[in-house]
Amino acid sequence: MTILRNREETMRTFTLASAFLATSALTAPAFADSHLQVVDKPMELTIHMHWPRAQGYDESYTVEKKACELTNICLKDATAGRNSTDSNEAMNLLIAQGNMPDIVGGHLIQQPVNQYGPEGAFLPLNDLVKEHAPHIQAFWDSHPGLMEAISSYDGNYYYIPYLPDGKYGRAWYVRQDWLDKLGLEQPQNVEELHAVLTAFRNDDPNGNGLKDEIPYFSRQWEEVNRLLTLWDARSSGSDTYHDFYVNDEGKVVHPYAQPAYRGALANVAQWYKEGLIDPEIFTRGSSSRDYLLSENLGGVTHDWFASTSGYNDALKDKIEGFNLIPFLPPESAGGVRMEEHRRIPIKPDGWAISYMNEHPVETIKYFDFWFTDEGRLLSNFGVEGETWDMVDGQPIYKPEVLNSDSPVNSQMYLVGAQIQRGFWQDYRYEDQWTSEAAREGIALYDANDLLIDQFLGVAFDQDEQKVYDKFWPSLRTYMLERQQAWILGSGDVKADWDSYIQTLDKMGYQQVIEVMNAAYQRQYN
Amino acid sequence: MMDPNNTTGGSTEELVAEAKEALRIRRPGRVQRVGDHLRREWQLYVLLLPTIIWLLVFLYKPMYGLQIAFKDFSVFRGVAGSPWVGLEHFYTLFGNDQFLRALRNTIYISMLSLVFGFPMPILLALMFNEVLHQTFKKTAQTIVYLPHFISSVIIAGIVITAFSPSAGIVNTIMGWFGVDPVYFLTKAEWFRPIFVGTTIWQEAGFQSIVYLAAIAGISPTLYESAVVDGASRWQMVWKITVPSILPTIIIMLIIRIGNMLEVSFEMIILLYQPATYETADVVNTFIYRQGIQGGQYDLAAAAGLFNAVVAFVLVMSANTISKRYSRTSLW
């Protein structure tokens, strides 16, 4: 009964009965697999799970069946907003209709649970986890800073996130066969990159006699800003574009209001003017990588390891000698090699306990199950013996999974693994189906110290949120407007700089930075 | 009838006659009258019922939610539970230069669409009406109707490709005359013409159907007598066709003015860039960007309410002006 004594006043509303149940589960007679059992008698919990691949939780997932068998807790689907593919919309619908299922999970739940949790819609998990979820607690203890990052402004956290594994996301890629043809080396610094791009532009590396090569391209126009890091400015502090970052003094600032941005953007504009950057980068859209690579036009890009490495196989019959490989980020003008992009360690996806849940202790124990060794393997690879086997202590996919026509992740989604519940991803899952070229690239990046710390966001209190909502969207619009205009050559960033900074201040930049830093100090101390 | 204060002065016969008369012409009570009417005409009311229900459920009930424009709205607390904040959201909107710019752009783009876009379907209808070759007429009609049935996403894709500096047909043709390629979709000064042109291309054909229907309703005898009088085709168009469809034109114009602020913002979102916000950002896209940050429904509702009030004023004025000068009006 120590469980009850240690609880805060509010927690006492959770019925005595649930505490008894919890105790009896601990003292239940031991039989096979019972160490994972959460309750003696089978229990059903309802769940909202809205995510991009499926608008609902499939009770027939083999992973769900296995979890139900092991824990004695089965989930029943109660997802709102099935007819929409927008998870935010589904969440708002769920909250507005008032009748919430026991578990609320899925895509992009961080913002809503942190907003409505303190208003009473979701249960704070701090004490529940401390008392009943040793495996989740162990994860927090071994990954300092992450629990703070998902906390709301009241200091509590309200959801168990989907925790991705693996460090690297995007990398610099170059057509090695073009370099070879022109007798060039991989660029090691910003001047060499300039020389390589210029050669790609002028020396007809695709050999069709036309000056149609696009030296630097990207399927997201925002990647043009990645070039800013070559002159020691920043483009973003996280894997979201245009995000704030924490500077050397430990202060949250925005990259587009820093002095380094002025010179760096002037250089980007110069490169654009020289035709080294795709002239249509702003409108070419998401299929530009497919188009420019398969038409033998694109030279250098900055994109994800896994998907970009796939082109060598896909295009080997179409373009002779096609060889697009990762190269180290060129040294910046200030002599720094930096890969600004990395995978975010916590996703805004996962699951939370709603205030209508009558079994919070059982629910958090169920959440904890997914952080046990068995639960983690189940959530990552599916059911043992069906999709994978343990070989020398390693979970290895069956050949029919690896050699199937459909990608491994799609197969996992169908059995209920890798879906957006609160779970800890295991990089071994992805590693097994990563191409050799990408693996080499990752090893290359891994051998060099390239990654930088990410800004994981802050949780505002209501007053701070108001300031942020009032000023930030307009500031962001203005910054992007000016940025594009400067790159496109209407206006000169160096000449316009002072009035730009003045306008930012007039539009509330300092107020936004103030609330950002107040929240940051509170949250990360 | 006699002055009631004076009745005492009348003779008995007069009083009796008056009472009889009053009894005879006494109309049944209001309830009874409505009852009679319903018994007689109930089929018409049954026909009307679905529309009434639709109006109540989808247009009147949501009006209850309009109050969030004056509240600090939280989805969890609900419409009733959220605290009032008065006109705060309106102050926020009108204190924002970008909102004012969006408002200016909305009005500007709407005016351009009205001036260039409104006459186009009328001209098309008049031209189709004059075409005698049936196969040619059908083919041409199909071609101009077609863009209406294509999704805006596809239309935007076509436009982006057509105006592309490297592969676009526009720049290719300009290239033949030695003009350097222009990256149209990043040039603020080009956004409005491209947008207005695109929407005209997309919708003018389909909108001409209304006018074609109106033209079909004109009595052929008018044309026959005009032919007898020796009128030219040009004269027939101006003296018979146009005046005959004028009421339709006026009604369409009033409706159009009422919808003026509802610029088709999905097309703008598909075509605009930060570089063209200067001329492209309209109220709806502004709200889309502001609202998307943390779901500011209250602010979006305030802007929506403002939009609706302006539209209401516009449609009322258009109707009044039209009633006064042309005696044609919506109500």
Side-chain angles (χ1 to χ4, degrees), chain B residues 41 55 62 67 69 90 97 139 174 180 200 209 257 264 271 280 288 297 301 303-304:
Chain B
E41 313 279 5
L55 271 172
Q67 55 179 293
F90 293 91
D97 287 343
T139 317
M174 281 164 49
D180 284 336
I200 291 175
I209 290 179
I257 288 172
S264 62
L271 289 178
Y288 173 79
Y297 299 108

Side-chain angles (χ1 to χ4, degrees), chain A residues 96-133:
Chain A
Q97 79 190 14
N99 188 13
M100 285 162 74
D102 300 317
I103 300 172
V104 175
H107 191 48
L108 300 180
I109 67 165
Q110 181 176 12
Q111 193 275 331
V113 299
N114 279 349
Q115 181 178 352
Y116 302 118
E119 289 180 16
F122 300 98
L123 301 185
L125 303 181
N126 306 45
D127 292 338
L128 278 173
V129 166
K130 233 178 258 163
E131 287 164 29
H132 304 288

Side-chain angles (χ1 to χ4, degrees), chain A residues 239-520:
Chain A
D239 76 339
T240 304
Y241 290 119
H242 323 301
D243 203 356
F244 294 81
Y245 75 101
V246 183
N247 70 8
D248 296 337
E249 287 113 59
K251 197 167 174 267
V252 182
V253 294
H254 197 276
Y256 302 158
Q258 304 311 304
Y261 175 71
R262 179 186 178 206
L265 195 78
N267 285 314
V268 173
Q270 179 61 27
W271 283 25
Y272 182 84
K273 197 175 157 200
E274 289 173 18
L276 306 183
I277 297 167
D278 180 4
E280 288 174 63
I281 196 160
F282 296 113
T283 50
R284 215 186 277 274
S286 56
S287 60
S288 64
R289 185 178 58 164
D290 275 339
Y291 171 76
L292 291 172
L293 288 178
S294 64
E295 295 297 313
N296 203 10
L297 296 171
V300 174
T301 192
H302 187 253
D303 212 321
W304 287 80
F305 268 118
S307 59
T308 316
S309 291
Y311 284 92
N312 282 347
D313 261 352
L315 296 175
K316 65 172 183 266
D317 296 332
K318 195 174 175 213
I319 301 164
E320 208 190 313
F322 184 90
N323 190 19
L324 182 74
I325 60 167
F327 67 104
L328 281 179
E331 223 169 68
S332 71
V336 181
R337 273 193 206 270
M338 177 228 274
E339 175 50 62
E340 193 182 41
H341 184 262
R342 66 184 296 178
R343 291 194 193 194
I344 197 157
I346 31 173
K347 284 278 190 182
D349 322 319
W351 51 20
I353 306 180
S354 88
Y355 76 108
M356 297 183 85
N357 186 324
E358 290 173 359
H359 309 283
V361 173
E362 288 82 349
T363 309
I364 201 72
K365 286 184 170 181
Y366 175 75
F367 284 3
D368 197 50
F369 157 75
W370 296 99
F371 282 73
T372 62
D373 290 343
E374 291 90 340
R376 201 172 164 211
L377 286 169
L378 185 61
S379 60
N380 273 283
F381 300 94
V383 178
E384 185 173 5
E386 286 181 16
T387 48
W388 61 281
D389 295 303
M390 197 60 103
V391 180
D392 301 331
Q394 295 289 330
I396 303 295
Y397 278 120
K398 287 181 180 288
E400 60 263 33
V401 173
L402 288 174
N403 299 329
S404 161
D405 283 342
S406 90
V408 175
N409 55 355
S410 305
Q411 296 178 62
M412 288 298 103
Y413 300 144
L414 290 178
V415 299
Q418 297 288 341
I419 66 172
Q420 294 183 347
R421 57 168 69 87
F423 82 109
W424 182 11
Q425 200 180 40
D426 185 336
Y427 189 67
R428 289 178 296 180
Y429 135 81
E430 197 177 309
D431 190 50
Q432 292 183 44
W433 50 287
T434 301
S435 77
E436 202 44 49
R439 243 182 261 174
E440 278 168 25
I442 291 170
L444 173 74
Y445 272 52
D446 225 1
N448 294 270
D449 186 22
L450 303 171
L451 294 180
I452 45 170
D453 283 338
Q454 272 189 309
F455 174 57
L456 297 174
V458 294
F460 292 122
D461 67 25
Q462 274 144 331
D463 291 335
E464 289 162 352
Q465 187 71 47
K466 262 188 199 140
V467 172
Y468 179 85
D469 285 346
K470 183 172 179 191
F471 296 117
W472 178 243
S474 308
L475 274 166
R476 185 178 184 278
T477 302
Y478 177 70
M479 284 175 170
L480 296 187
E481 245 180 274
R482 296 310 304 151
Q483 181 180 68
Q484 269 199 3
W486 285 327
I487 294 174
L488 289 163
S490 63
D492 172 3
V493 56
K494 289 197 164 162
D496 299 346
W497 186 254
D498 290 341
S499 76
Y500 170 71
I501 291 293
Q502 274 166 20
T503 311
L504 290 183
D505 285 344
K506 207 182 86 194
M507 293 175 75
Y509 176 73
Q510 296 304 338
Q511 283 96 312
V512 171
I513 287 302
E514 213 168 279
V515 296
M516 267 281 169
N517 281 288
Y520 183 75

Side-chain angles (χ1 to χ4, degrees), chain A residues 92 95-96 116 119-121 272 279-283 355 462 466 469 473-474 477-478 480-481 484 488 507, chain B residues 72 74-77 92 96 98 101 160 164-166 183 185-186 273-275 277-278 289-290 293 296-297:
Chain A
N92 284 326
I95 294 171
Y116 302 118
E119 289 180 16
Y272 182 84
E280 288 174 63
I281 196 160
F282 296 113
T283 50
Y355 76 108
Q462 274 144 331
K466 262 188 199 140
D469 285 346
S474 308
T477 302
Y478 177 70
L480 296 187
E481 245 180 274
Q484 269 199 3
L488 289 163
M507 293 175 75
Chain B
D72 183 10
S74 151
V75 181
F76 179 62
R77 292 202 197 103
T92 308
N96 188 320
Q98 285 173 8
R101 179 178 77 183
I160 289 170
S164 146
S166 63
Y183 195 176
L185 286 168
T186 61
Q273 286 292 326
Y277 283 172
E278 185 62 39
R289 280 202 319 279
Q290 295 272 328
Q293 314 270 340
Q296 298 183 57
Y297 299 108

Side-chain angles (χ1 to χ4, degrees), chain B:
Chain B
M1 205 192 270
M2 293 170 81
D3 183 352
N5 299 324
N6 234 358
T7 46
T8 45
S11 67
T12 317
E13 287 88 339
E14 271 173 340
L15 281 172
V16 169
E18 191 183 302
K20 276 184 178 169
E21 178 72 8
L23 211 61
R24 194 179 67 79
I25 64 155
R26 209 198 73 172
R27 303 174 65 200
R30 184 176 284 265
V31 178
Q32 200 188 340
R33 265 184 293 142
V34 171
D36 282 349
H37 179 70
L38 281 180
R39 250 194 306 284
R40 233 177 14 250
E41 313 279 5
W42 65 272
Q43 294 97 332
L44 289 178
Y45 285 97
V46 170
L47 283 177
L48 187 63
L49 202 60
T51 314
I52 301 268
I53 292 173
W54 180 83
L55 271 172
L56 288 177
V57 173
F58 290 104
L59 293 178
Y60 282 87
K61 188 170 168 282
M63 280 189 198
Y64 168 76
L66 265 184
Q67 55 179 293
I68 69 170
F70 307 97
K71 284 188 159 190
D72 183 10
F73 180 61
S74 151
V75 181
F76 179 62
R77 292 202 197 103
V79 173
S82 301
W84 294 96
V85 293
L87 294 175
E88 192 186 305
H89 298 308
F90 293 91
Y91 288 128
T92 308
L93 279 180
F94 287 96
N96 188 320
D97 287 343
Q98 285 173 8
F99 175 76
L100 299 176
R101 179 178 77 183
L103 194 59
R104 272 197 305 276
N105 282 337
T106 309
I107 294 167
Y108 200 0
I109 289 179
S110 303
M111 294 303 287
L112 282 178
S113 301
L114 192 67
V115 170
F116 294 99
F118 185 74
M120 206 52 84
I122 304 172
L123 290 176
L124 270 178
L126 292 175
M127 288 193 292
F128 281 137
N129 190 47
E130 298 302 314
V131 174
L132 295 176
H133 192 290
Q134 280 306 307
T135 318
F136 175 77
K137 183 174 169 179
K138 297 284 177 219
T139 317
Q141 278 180 312
T142 308
I143 289 172
V144 297
Y145 295 166
L146 209 54
H148 172 80
F149 297 100
I150 302 174
S151 145
S152 292
V153 180
I154 312 271
I155 298 272
I158 295 174
V159 171
I160 289 170
T161 312
F163 288 95
S164 146
S166 63
I169 183 164
V170 177
N171 274 302
T172 309
I173 293 173
M174 281 164 49
W176 295 343
F177 299 98
V179 183
D180 284 336
V182 178
Y183 195 176
F184 286 104
L185 286 168
T186 61
K187 301 264 185 249
E189 64 272 26
W190 279 106
F191 185 84
R192 285 176 191 140
I194 289 175
F195 173 78
V196 172
T198 304
T199 43
I200 291 175
W201 172 58
Q202 193 181 3
E203 294 299 339
F206 196 73
Q207 286 166 355
S208 71
I209 290 179
V210 175
Y211 301 109
L212 276 173
I215 291 173
I218 301 171
S219 167
T221 52
L222 292 174
Y223 294 102
E224 282 158 16
S225 51
V227 171
V228 171
D229 290 343
S232 69
R233 287 185 68 178
W234 192 244
Q235 281 173 320
M236 284 193 278
V237 168
W238 282 110
K239 305 283 181 193
I240 299 173
T241 314
V242 172
S244 303
I245 64 169
L246 199 59
T248 310
I249 294 176
I250 300 280
I251 297 291
M252 293 306 286
L253 184 67
I254 295 171
I255 293 175
R256 177 90 182 217
I257 288 172
N259 290 334
M260 215 163 93
L261 292 189
E262 299 295 323
V263 176
S264 62
F265 84 112
E266 73 276 7
M267 186 62 99
I268 292 196
I269 285 187
L270 290 164
L271 289 178
Y272 79 170
Q273 286 292 326
T276 49
Y277 283 172
E278 185 62 39
T279 53
D281 200 17
V282 295
V283 173
N284 282 335
T285 50
F286 170 83
I287 288 306
Y288 173 79
R289 280 202 319 279
Q290 295 272 328
I292 214 93
Q293 314 270 340
Q296 298 183 57
Y297 299 108
D298 37 18
L299 190 73
L305 182 60
F306 171 75
N307 243 9
V309 169
V310 174
F312 180 72
V313 171
L314 284 176
V315 85
M316 285 299 283
S317 338
N319 196 54
T320 312
I321 293 170
S322 162
K323 206 182 208 164
R324 183 163 304 162
Y325 294 104
S326 73
R327 295 210 200 96
T328 308
S329 66
L330 267 178
W331 65 86

